[in-house]
Amino acid sequence: MKLEQLTDRIFYYPHQPETDRPMLAYINGSRISLAIDAGNSAAHVDGFYGALEAAGLKLPDMTVITHWHWDHTFGMHHIHGLSAAHVKTNEMLKQERIRLADSAYADALKEEDPCLKQEYADGREIVAIPSDIAFTDKMTLKLGGLTADIFHAVSPHSEDTVLVYVPEEKVLFLGDSTCGDFYNDGYMDKGRLKTLVRTIERMDCRYCILSHAGPLTKKELLDYLGLVMAGDEGHGQQEKPDATETLLYKVAYLVEVEDREVSTNHDKEELRKMVWKALPDQDIAIDDVHTAEWYSTQELLLDPGTMNCGRCHKCNAWTTDREKPDPVRELTNGAVVDGELLCDDCLPKGHPWAF
C-alpha cells in the first residue's frame, strides 16, 4: 500500500480494515517529522515506514498517540524516534503490559477479536509499552514551518482521547473520537459527542481525519455527526420493558426508472402512485402468534454524487461503502478495494464486509 498525500506537507498511510489497521499520518515539518499513531503491530509500522521511504521521506522523529486501544498502540515498541501520549493512555498501556505477561490473556484477546488474531497469527508476540513523553492537557510542537497542537478532548469513544490540529494546513486529526465506546457494548454517550461536536465546530479546519475512514471535509463530518445526534437520544440510557420487544424489519426494493419519469413533480407523483400501488402494504401473518404489521413506506432517489452509494465495479449491483460515514443501510454492504467499489458478494474472500 502506498502513501497518500493530503496537503503539501501532510501524508497518510490509509486504513486497512482486514486486520483493523487504522490510518497512520505523517506531518512533514522542516525540522521535525511527526507521525500520528503507532499502528497495531510491528508489521504495520514496517509497512508505513516502507511507504515513507518509497516517497523519499525520512522516518518520524516523534509519534503521538490518539488513545490507548490496541490498533493504535501495539506497534509503539517498533517505532523510530520518541513517542508521546496522554497520561491516561500510559496508565492503560501499563495495565495492558502487566496483563500481557500472562500468555493466557494474549490468547484470549486473539479469540475475542478476529482482526487481532489475524494480525498476530503464527505466534507473533503482542507487546504493549507506555510512551516516552506524557502530557496531561495539551502540548504544542513547533515542527519547522508547521505547528502541531496536541490536546486532550472529551469523546464518547475513550477517556484518554487526544486530537491533533495543524493550523497552517487546517487539518484536524480525530483518531476514533466520534465512535461509541467499544468496551461498553458500543454505547454512544450523546452528551460527550455533543461536546466533541462543539470542539470540532470551533476549529478552523478544511479536513477532518478519522482513523478508519477516508479524509472528510469539516462540513461532511459535522453533517454526519448531526445525523448521529438526531438519532434515538435514549438509546442505551433507559431500561426496556420486560414484557415485549419490538423488531423493525426493513425490506428494500429497487426500481430502475428513466430520467424523464422523474423529471418533474408531476412525473414523480405518477410514478409514486404506480409503484406504491404495486408494493405490498398488508400485514403478514408469520404464524398463529406473530404478525408483521405494515408500518410505513419510504422512497429514496439514489444519487452517488451526494450519497454514500454506487454500483459494484464487478456486478453492477447497487451497494454502499460501509467504511465511510453515512452508509445507505438499505443497500447491500460494500467497500472500496484498490480504488474500486465492490458489493459484499464481489469483495475478496476474508474481507470484513464480504458476504
Side-chain angles (χ1 to χ4, degrees):
M1 181 175 290
K2 69 175 184 177
L3 200 69
E4 300 289 343
Q5 187 165 6
L6 180 67
T7 69
D8 287 344
R9 295 174 288 182
I10 294 181
F11 304 79
Y12 67 96
Y13 191 57
H15 71 291
Q16 300 169 60
E18 295 81 5
T19 55
D20 204 25
R21 289 181 172 181
M23 175 277 305
L24 302 178
Y26 182 89
I27 305 170
N28 190 26
S30 60
R31 293 190 300 108
I32 299 172
S33 58
L34 177 68
I36 298 178
D37 280 328
N40 70 2
S41 68
H44 190 189
V45 174
D46 286 341
F48 177 38
Y49 287 179
L52 290 176
E53 291 172 344
L57 297 169
K58 68 175 183 177
L59 298 184
D61 299 300
M62 181 177 288
T63 298
V64 63
I65 306 301
T66 60
H67 62 296
W68 71 275
H69 293 171
W70 79 274
D71 51 320
H72 299 256
T73 60
F74 279 7
M76 282 176 64
H77 67 287
H78 198 64
I79 65 168
H80 179 270
L82 299 173
S83 58
H86 192 270
V87 290
K88 290 184 178 179
T89 301
N90 279 344
E91 289 171 5
M92 298 302 296
L93 289 174
K94 289 174 183 176
Q95 292 178 26
E96 281 295 282
R97 181 170 59 176
I98 293 171
R99 296 188 190 103
L100 286 167
D102 182 356
S103 60
Y105 177 74
D107 292 341
L109 287 181
K110 294 177 183 179
E111 291 306 315
E112 291 171 3
D113 190 329
C115 288
L116 191 151
K117 184 175 183 178
Q118 184 176 343
E119 185 72 33
Y120 285 90
D122 303 323
R124 275 172 265 175
E125 183 184 8
I126 300 174
V127 179
I129 62 170
S131 66
D132 301 303
I133 301 168
F135 61 95
T136 57
D137 184 21
K138 60 184 178 180
M139 180 172 66
T140 298
L141 297 178
K142 299 295 185 180
L143 307 177
L146 292 175
T147 307
D149 290 324
I150 305 163
F151 59 98
H152 180 239
V154 173
S155 158
H157 186 65
S158 185
E159 291 284 345
D160 63 327
T161 290
V162 165
L163 308 186
V164 182
Y165 175 55
V166 184
E168 294 86 356
E169 304 287 70
K170 295 186 176 182
V171 177
L172 177 64
F173 294 91
L174 293 123
D176 294 348
S177 61
T178 61
C179 298
D181 184 354
F182 293 160
Y183 289 84
N184 188 20
D185 295 326
Y187 171 65
M188 173 61 75
D189 187 319
K190 296 291 183 65
R192 297 180 71 85
L193 180 60
K194 187 175 182 179
T195 300
L196 177 64
V197 167
R198 288 174 178 169
T199 299
I200 298 169
E201 288 173 338
R202 290 195 300 267
M203 308 300 294
D204 180 18
C205 56
R206 289 182 296 170
Y207 296 107
C208 293
I209 312 301
L210 302 175
S211 292
H212 296 274
L216 299 171
T217 65
K218 179 178 178 179
K219 183 180 185 303
E220 287 173 334
L221 179 60
L222 289 176
D223 285 349
Y224 166 67
L225 295 179
L227 294 176
V228 176
M229 291 296 299
D232 178 13
E233 293 293 338
H235 179 68
Q237 299 181 27
Q238 58 186 355
E239 295 297 324
K240 296 180 179 179
D242 292 332
T244 62
E245 300 280 3
T246 302
L247 296 174
L248 175 64
Y249 286 90
K250 301 171 76 172
V251 180
Y253 295 85
L254 288 176
V255 180
E256 299 289 342
V257 299
E258 301 289 340
D259 287 343
R260 59 181 173 78
E261 294 182 272
V262 292
S263 59
T264 67
N265 287 334
H266 177 267
D267 293 330
K268 288 181 182 177
E269 187 60 33
E270 290 300 311
L271 181 65
R272 286 191 185 102
K273 290 179 181 178
M274 180 174 64
V275 171
W276 287 355
K277 184 177 180 180
L279 292 176
D281 61 359
Q282 302 297 317
D283 297 348
I284 301 173
I286 299 173
D287 57 23
D288 292 339
V289 177
H290 304 95
T291 299
E293 176 185 356
W294 176 84
Y295 195 75
S296 67
T297 300
Q298 295 179 325
E299 174 190 296
L300 182 65
L301 180 62
L302 297 178
D303 181 5
T306 60
M307 301 162 60
N308 180 357
C309 66
R311 291 187 179 273
C312 174
H313 183 77
K314 288 187 177 181
C315 71
N316 209 39
W318 280 98
T319 188
T320 187
D321 188 345
R322 290 305 300 266
E323 295 174 358
K324 291 183 179 179
D326 201 17
V328 181
R329 300 184 185 279
E330 290 77 11
L331 296 177
T332 60
N333 296 327
V336 172
V337 176
D338 296 330
E340 297 176 348
L341 179 62
L342 302 176
C343 69
D344 52 9
D345 278 333
C346 295
L347 283 169
K349 185 177 180 182
H351 190 282
W353 292 108
F355 183 73

